[in-house]
Amino acid sequence: MKCFEAYKVRNGDASKLPAIEVSSLKKAYGKLQAVDSISFSVDQGEVFSLLGPNGAGKTTTIEILEGLRERDSGDVKVLGMDPWKQGDALHKRIGVIPQGFTFLPYITPREAVNYYASLFDVKVDADEILRIVLLQDSATSYFMKLSGGQKQKMGLALSLVNKPDFVFLDEPTTGLDPQARRAVWDVIRNLKKEGISVLLTTHYLEEAEELADKVAIMNKGKIITAGTPAQIISEHGSGEKIRVRANQDLADYVNKTTGLEVNYSDGIVVVGLKKKEDILAVLEAIGKSGLNWSDLTVRQDSLEDVFVKLVGSKIGDEGRTAQVN
Amino acid sequence: MGTFKRIRADLVSFARSYSRSRIGLFFGLAFPVILILLFGAIFSGNGSPATVYVQNQDSGPVGAGFVTALNSTGAIQVVLVPPSQNLSQYLLSHSSSDGIAIPSSFSTNYETGQPVNVTEYWNPASSTSEGVFGITSGIVNAFNLHRANGSQVVNVQTLTIKSSSYKYIDFLIPGMIGFAILISPMFALTNISAQYKRDKIFKQLSLTPLTKTDWLLAKIGFYILMTLVSFVLMTAVGVYAFGAQITFTLWIIPFLLIGPFLFVSLGMLVGSVSTSVESAAVVGNLITFPMMFLSGTFFPVSTMPTYLQNIAHVLPLFYVIDGLNNVMIYGNYGAALTDIAILLVISVVIFVLAVRFFKWRED
């Protein structure tokens, strides 16, 4: 496994100051080095995702950035401020949903938004905010009566009350059903449209792939790779593959005629492609072989494949990693 | 100005939540009123006379005269037991501990001047028995006096201190106000503080301009309002339903302000130092219940043994109830001022401790 200590995400637009800059950040709890010298930066208007299994150090990192935890060492700037020393000023400009967001049971989303507006001493149109987070239909339901997804949306609504430049979302879709998860995704896309930068932690790889402009994969306190999902896949993935259901004879034939790497097991032939034209050569070879074949697909490694390769394990639904043999 | 606005916003939001959870409303407003109705009903009126089982084995006139004398007091109801019965067995089978046995030689001995005993079966732990004993002794003395042809020289005259006599309900009202001041914020705050900590609501609020002092002051403000409403309800029931004789004076106000300030802070302190919702509830109960019973809520502290009275004097609720008694019943404003001073000192100390131990963010 290749580890990148202090991996730096390449800035997309040099004219803007980064919204977040982290370098050599460290935090330990007793003997456990929860965050082990990580560095990254997030541009303004960008959706940045910290990806990793439970215990990777995601929440510790995000809480340090939010000013909720003191770091042991390293430099951290959020919107140009030191989150620990300038917490009060920073909190006026960021929005936060902590992991497992809960709120007062007998408050409605509209009341909660107005309550937050009074606390921040700002004037807001509660219904407009609820519309952005797709919660306008449940504006007058008690928080305790909302579904898991609606509760998260109310958390998102509260994080928007102070018109933040940056929103921190710590596992906003954990424990939600796929439909609710997609609804939260729509909200996050809306935030991006509003020009709000987002730092999102998640252990759902498809979520990061779907939403994030940039991704950093964390494991055991370190960032092991970072970049756009496409960059990561092309850097660590094993390229495009053709997968077809056939027998060993076809595998041998394709290998002989194209010279490409071919694997066969359990009635599945997998051909690794090196360049764009290889796909045509393989198809032609299959056609000429006269052998039986079915279910042909061309696919690229997903972020999940890369993750498994780098972390050596899969992320289960609850975020625990399962060893892959 | 911003602070005031935040406190008001938090108070309004809390009040709305509170009024929507019926449990809070019940324990905060209805429960103390129900208790007043209950205790008021139990202790109002004179009650029915105690039943005493009397076995007269004397066939002469003196024994019969003694029974008549017992009957004529009006304070006890005499039930005659046939001479053939075993009185102690009879009492047990009637679940009673109060019996009087007049021996067969009663008339003869009385007339000849030989000493003779009237036997009283009693339960030393029962206040009824004490009353029966007093009545019996009084009649025995009268019989002795009559036998000696003596006349009564010393008499007892009874007077009450105020123009009107105190009734139990008069003491119950200040006690119940103290009860409401203690119970409602203590239970709510120990629970809320531990629950908000568990659910990370404090952490969430810590990301807003609201400070923990703002938050606590909003709760104190809310419980002061609750106490005022509760005060009006309880005194109205006491006065209109039971004719309680209490003085309404501005001196009551300091107690209605300092009381909630004290117990909101104490509840918060207990919840803050507890590690879980469950342990907060246990610690809260351990503090609340003894304080409730020992501070004169249901029974005047002066009726308790000295060592319990000493304990009562270190319980903050004692000074709330003592002070309310002083201003609402006795009109002893000097003593009330001492209570206010003591309460203020305790409250400020506990408030400072609560703010100190109350963590917005656990770490």
Side-chain angles (χ1 to χ4, degrees):
Chain A
M1 189 198 302
K2 205 161 110 190
C3 275
F4 292 84
E5 239 185 70
Y7 198 99
K8 194 142 189 156
V9 175
R10 296 152 286 262
N11 285 349
D13 183 351
S15 67
K16 286 182 189 168
L17 275 172
I20 291 183
E21 268 190 300
V22 175
S23 74
S24 310
L25 173 63
K26 281 190 180 184
K27 173 77 184 178
Y29 302 112
K31 280 182 184 166
L32 176 78
Q33 192 67 43
V35 175
D36 193 1
S37 194
I38 63 168
S39 302
F40 63 91
S41 67
V42 181
D43 287 342
Q44 288 174 27
E46 188 171 79
V47 177
F48 184 91
S49 179
L50 269 180
L51 198 60
N54 271 5
K58 303 188 301 284
T59 297
T60 299
T61 303
I62 206 171
E63 286 188 344
I64 289 170
L65 296 179
E66 290 160 359
L68 290 175
R69 263 179 216 284
E70 195 173 7
R71 59 187 183 271
D72 292 344
S73 65
D75 285 324
V76 177
K77 284 268 181 296
V78 178
L79 302 172
M81 287 179 265
D82 182 322
W84 187 251
K85 290 182 185 143
Q86 295 162 277
D88 289 344
L90 179 65
H91 293 156
K92 288 183 179 144
R93 292 186 55 197
I94 62 170
V96 169
I97 312 185
Q99 206 177 104
F101 171 81
T102 44
F103 210 64
L104 308 171
Y106 290 99
I107 197 164
T108 70
R110 183 183 286 142
E111 288 163 357
V113 167
N114 286 326
Y115 168 51
Y116 258 51
S118 313
L119 295 184
F120 278 104
D121 202 8
V122 291
K123 281 215 166 14
V124 294
D125 179 351
D127 292 313
E128 168 66 13
I129 287 179
L130 293 177
R131 199 188 49 73
I132 294 175
V133 301
L134 310 173
L135 198 59
Q136 63 272 42
D137 294 338
S138 303
T140 55
S141 304
Y142 291 161
F143 179 73
M144 61 176 189
K145 298 258 169 81
L146 299 178
S147 70
Q150 289 171 328
K151 284 180 178 166
Q152 283 299 339
K153 288 180 189 170
M154 184 171 125
L156 278 160
L158 292 187
S159 73
L160 297 180
V161 167
N162 56 332
K163 303 186 174 73
D165 299 315
F166 206 112
V167 173
F168 292 89
L169 309 175
D170 196 0
E171 303 203 355
T173 63
T174 297
L176 300 185
D177 59 60
Q179 208 184 340
R181 186 173 304 152
R182 274 162 212 287
V184 172
W185 291 359
D186 287 341
V187 176
I188 296 171
R189 288 193 194 97
N190 275 356
L191 299 189
K192 192 178 154 63
K193 265 184 231 155
E194 305 273 330
I196 298 168
S197 318
V198 176
L199 193 150
L200 165 79
T201 74
T202 183
H203 55 244
Y204 296 114
L205 293 133
E206 48 164 344
E207 184 164 300
E209 209 167 356
E210 192 76 29
L211 298 172
D213 298 314
K214 280 181 196 153
V215 172
I217 295 178
M218 266 189 104
N219 194 32
K220 295 176 183 151
K222 293 184 197 291
I223 290 181
I224 51 179
T225 186
T228 65
Q231 277 170 347
I232 291 176
I233 290 166
S234 75
E235 191 166 337
H236 300 280
S238 45
E240 278 184 316
K241 288 188 175 83
I242 286 182
R243 193 175 170 281
V244 61
R245 195 176 289 277
N247 59 23
Q248 179 81 54
D249 294 344
L250 184 82
D252 294 343
Y253 184 84
V254 172
N255 177 250
K256 227 181 287 170
T257 48
T258 64
L260 292 167
E261 193 190 330
V262 179
N263 284 308
Y264 173 83
S265 73
D266 294 335
I268 304 284
V269 177
V270 178
V271 187
L273 305 177
K274 285 179 179 152
K275 51 184 193 293
K276 212 168 71 179
E277 293 74 25
D278 288 347
I279 190 166
L280 298 170
V282 172
L283 291 177
E284 195 183 345
I286 291 171
K288 278 188 179 163
S289 72
L291 296 162
N292 282 336
W293 60 272
S294 64
D295 303 340
L296 186 141
T297 53
V298 181
R299 67 181 284 260
Q300 196 174 28
D301 270 1
S302 67
L303 206 51
E304 176 140 19
D305 298 319
V306 173
F307 185 88
V308 170
K309 199 169 149 192
L310 292 175
V311 179
S313 59
K314 258 187 171 163
I315 301 187
D317 196 40
E318 287 310 308
R320 290 181 193 85
T321 53
Q323 288 300 317
V324 175
N325 295 318
Chain B
M1 225 33 222
T3 304
F4 177 73
K5 222 173 159 179
R6 288 194 296 273
I7 293 174
R8 194 184 58 189
D10 188 60
L11 198 159
V12 168
S13 155
F14 184 76
R16 202 154 41 198
S17 274
Y18 188 94
S19 63
R20 285 171 185 170
S21 96
R22 309 259 147 75
I23 294 181
L25 271 191
F26 175 78
F27 278 102
L29 295 178
F31 191 55
V33 171
I34 291 172
L35 280 185
I36 287 188
L37 286 171
L38 211 64
F39 279 86
I42 291 171
F43 291 101
S44 69
N46 301 318
S48 54
T51 301
V52 179
Y53 293 89
V54 178
Q55 186 175 48
N56 183 11
Q57 292 180 314
D58 179 42
S59 48
V62 189
F66 199 89
V67 173
T68 312
L70 281 172
N71 244 335
S72 65
T73 60
I76 56 176
Q77 191 184 351
V78 172
V79 174
L80 283 172
V81 178
S84 56
Q85 297 278 338
N86 178 328
L87 183 59
S88 62
Q89 285 297 325
Y90 192 90
L91 286 173
L92 287 176
S93 66
H94 286 76
S95 306
S96 171
S97 51
D98 298 307
I100 294 169
I102 300 166
S104 56
S105 58
F106 195 64
S107 290
T108 327
N109 285 30
Y110 183 84
E111 272 149 22
T112 59
Q114 298 293 316
V116 68
N117 281 333
V118 169
T119 311
E120 186 189 343
Y121 293 84
W122 79 327
N123 174 3
S126 153
S127 60
T128 321
S129 287
E130 273 177 33
V132 174
F133 179 72
I135 290 164
T136 315
S137 303
I139 294 171
V140 165
N141 283 338
F143 270 59
N144 282 334
L145 204 62
H146 178 75
R147 172 75 182 60
N149 283 326
S151 61
Q152 205 148 329
V153 179
V154 181
N155 277 302
V156 179
Q157 186 193 4
T158 57
L159 275 179
T160 49
I161 309 162
K162 245 164 91 177
S163 55
S164 61
S165 62
Y166 303 130
K167 287 180 297 185
Y168 178 71
I169 188 78
D170 302 340
F171 293 98
L172 186 63
I173 303 280
M176 282 294 116
I177 292 169
F179 172 85
I181 287 175
L182 166 75
I183 290 289
S184 197
M186 270 297 278
F187 282 168
L189 266 292
T190 49
N191 186 36
I192 288 172
S193 57
Q195 211 175 308
Y196 279 27
K197 191 162 64 178
R198 182 195 64 194
D199 295 342
K200 299 192 181 121
I201 294 176
F202 284 144
K203 198 181 209 175
Q204 177 78 31
L205 291 175
S206 79
L207 294 163
T208 73
L210 189 74
T211 67
K212 55 183 185 175
T213 310
D214 294 342
W215 187 88
L216 200 54
L217 287 173
K219 303 302 157 302
I220 290 168
F222 174 76
Y223 279 100
I224 286 174
L225 293 178
M226 281 286 291
T227 301
L228 295 177
V229 175
S230 179
F231 172 83
V232 171
L233 288 177
M234 286 190 281
T235 50
V237 169
V239 170
Y240 292 109
F242 299 106
Q245 304 241 346
I246 44 184
T247 315
F248 290 96
T249 148
L250 288 179
W251 280 86
I252 297 171
I253 303 287
F255 295 97
L256 303 185
L257 300 182
I258 304 172
F261 175 57
L262 169 59
F263 292 115
V264 166
S265 306
L266 185 60
M268 196 60 212
L269 181 60
V270 169
S272 299
V273 298
S274 305
T275 47
S276 71
V277 179
E278 291 74 19
S279 68
V282 170
V283 177
N285 288 347
L286 278 178
I287 293 174
T288 308
F289 282 104
M291 180 142 67
M292 183 172 93
F293 287 111
L294 295 177
S295 301
T297 309
F298 301 105
F299 327 100
V301 171
S302 56
T303 61
M304 300 195 297
T306 317
Y307 75 97
L308 281 183
Q309 291 196 29
N310 292 337
I311 295 176
H313 281 82
V314 300
L315 302 174
L317 182 64
F318 169 81
Y319 296 98
V320 174
I321 294 174
D322 188 61
L324 286 172
N325 275 320
N326 279 330
V327 299
M328 294 174 77
I329 300 178
Y330 302 115
N332 186 350
Y333 302 117
L337 207 56
T338 311
D339 291 321
I340 291 172
I342 293 171
L343 279 173
L344 264 180
V345 172
I346 300 175
S347 304
V348 169
V349 169
I350 293 190
F351 177 78
V352 170
L353 287 176
V355 171
R356 194 182 145 69
F357 283 99
F358 166 19
K359 287 203 187 84
W360 259 150
R361 303 159 190 175
E362 77 280 21
D363 220 328

